[in-house]
Amino acid sequence: MSWLNAGLSKTGKKFKFGIQWKITAIIVAVVAVFIAFILGYILPQMENSLYAGKKVQTQNEVKTAYSIVQHYQDMEKSGTLTKDEAQKQAKAAISTLRYGDENTDYFFVIDLRPYMIVHPMNAKLVDTDVSQYKDANGELMFQKMVEIAKTQKEGFTSYMWQYKTDTNRIVAKTSYIKTFEPWNWVIGTGIYTVDVQEEIGGLRTSLTIISLIIMLASIGACILLTRVMVAKPLNSLVKVGKAVAVGDVEQDIKVKSGDEVGEVTQAFADVVTYLKEMAGAANKISEGNLSIEIQAKSEKDELSKSFSGMAATLNSLMSEVAILTKAGTEGKLQTRGDVSKFKGDYASIVQGINDTLDAVIGPLNIAAE
């Protein structure tokens, strides 16, 4: 048995999955598809967009650091500073440079050997050969940066690195590097993939909560509206229909809306009114009132036509009986009813009267003779 049509309630009685719950189920399905679309398609798009935005931000930050180094190199060219002084001041400036929401994101600088020139978070690496330095995945991360610097001058590279100041947490990081050719420096900074994932996770949680709220609100509103606007009127019509089905046409149907449910209610009220009229006509005929006029509602109104035909037949029968009665009182005993005007039992009644007259008049004729 379909779960949409029947089931068992806690009391063991059959539970009807009515239109109210079917509409609610449809609303829930639509909202669920909408939520799935958001979480399965929109959210990944937002994640890609957010990640792309972070990468663009990283590029812009590197350009800022690059411009600082360019400033000191310009001072070197102008003779204001020696090369050593310019590089020393540039390193000091980059070492203190921070950005980000928590102002903890930093810059690093290596050269093309590669040696670490600046690294604010790992002073032990500064002025050391990092050509053989491997990340947690075993990749020579700084050699890869040098390769990009030599071939592309700038670009993105991914590797595993400690999360900010937490030396015990190693996560994926994507850095953007740019070569400062006058000094053979490679300036870089990066974003943590986990930060983007956490932002998306927070967004996913918020969207999920909002979606659940929308779903619950939709279910509540749907149940309330369908109960008031659909289920309640239809239940009333069901009660009226059951009453009419057992012959109780004295029903009062009130139309409370102008929508489709209201139209159904009005149509049902018209049917009950029609049945009341037919019942009234039948009652008058049963009381001997054959002067009633029943107008057909349409060409297909067979019930009205049948009642009109029945009244006409009874009128014709009464007329025929009246003719015979008058003829009898006037002594015209040979007068007979016209059986051909009637059908079925009505014809049998007229024929019976004729036979009765024949049976009575025969002895009378003999007595008269």
Side-chain angles (χ1 to χ4, degrees), residues 197-217:
Q197 292 173 344
E198 286 177 357
E199 286 189 46
I200 292 298
L203 183 59
R204 181 183 291 106
T205 301
S206 298
L207 287 175
T208 301
I209 293 173
I210 292 172
S211 299
L212 289 176
I213 292 174
I214 292 174
M215 177 176 285
L216 293 175

Side-chain angles (χ1 to χ4, degrees), residues 20-132:
Q20 176 183 355
W21 298 108
K22 289 179 180 179
I23 293 175
T24 302
I26 292 172
I27 295 298
V28 170
V30 171
V31 174
V33 170
F34 177 70
I35 293 174
F37 176 73
I38 291 177
L39 298 181
Y41 179 77
I42 299 298
L43 194 61
Q45 294 295 322
M46 293 176 66
E47 182 175 3
N48 294 335
S49 178
L50 180 61
Y51 191 66
K54 291 285 187 181
K55 292 176 73 174
V56 171
Q57 180 185 355
T58 302
Q59 285 180 288
N60 292 333
E61 296 294 346
V62 169
K63 290 178 181 178
T64 300
Y66 187 93
S67 64
I68 292 174
V69 175
Q70 182 68 63
H71 168 70
Y72 286 105
Q73 201 265 335
D74 289 341
M75 295 181 69
E76 174 199 346
K77 288 193 298 182
S78 66
T80 305
L81 297 173
T82 64
K83 183 176 183 179
D84 288 341
E85 290 173 337
Q87 289 183 341
K88 183 177 180 180
Q89 292 187 27
K91 286 189 277 186
I94 293 177
S95 295
T96 58
L97 194 61
R98 297 288 185 275
Y99 67 96
D101 295 335
E102 299 177 358
N103 204 35
T104 55
D105 295 316
Y106 60 91
F107 297 87
F108 63 89
V109 180
I110 62 174
D111 60 20
L112 297 180
R113 291 178 286 180
Y115 270 59
M116 183 64 68
I117 305 299
V118 176
H119 201 294
M121 297 300 167
N122 197 335
K124 293 180 180 180
L125 289 178
V126 177
D127 294 330
T128 63
D129 182 356
V130 291
S131 61
Q132 299 304 310

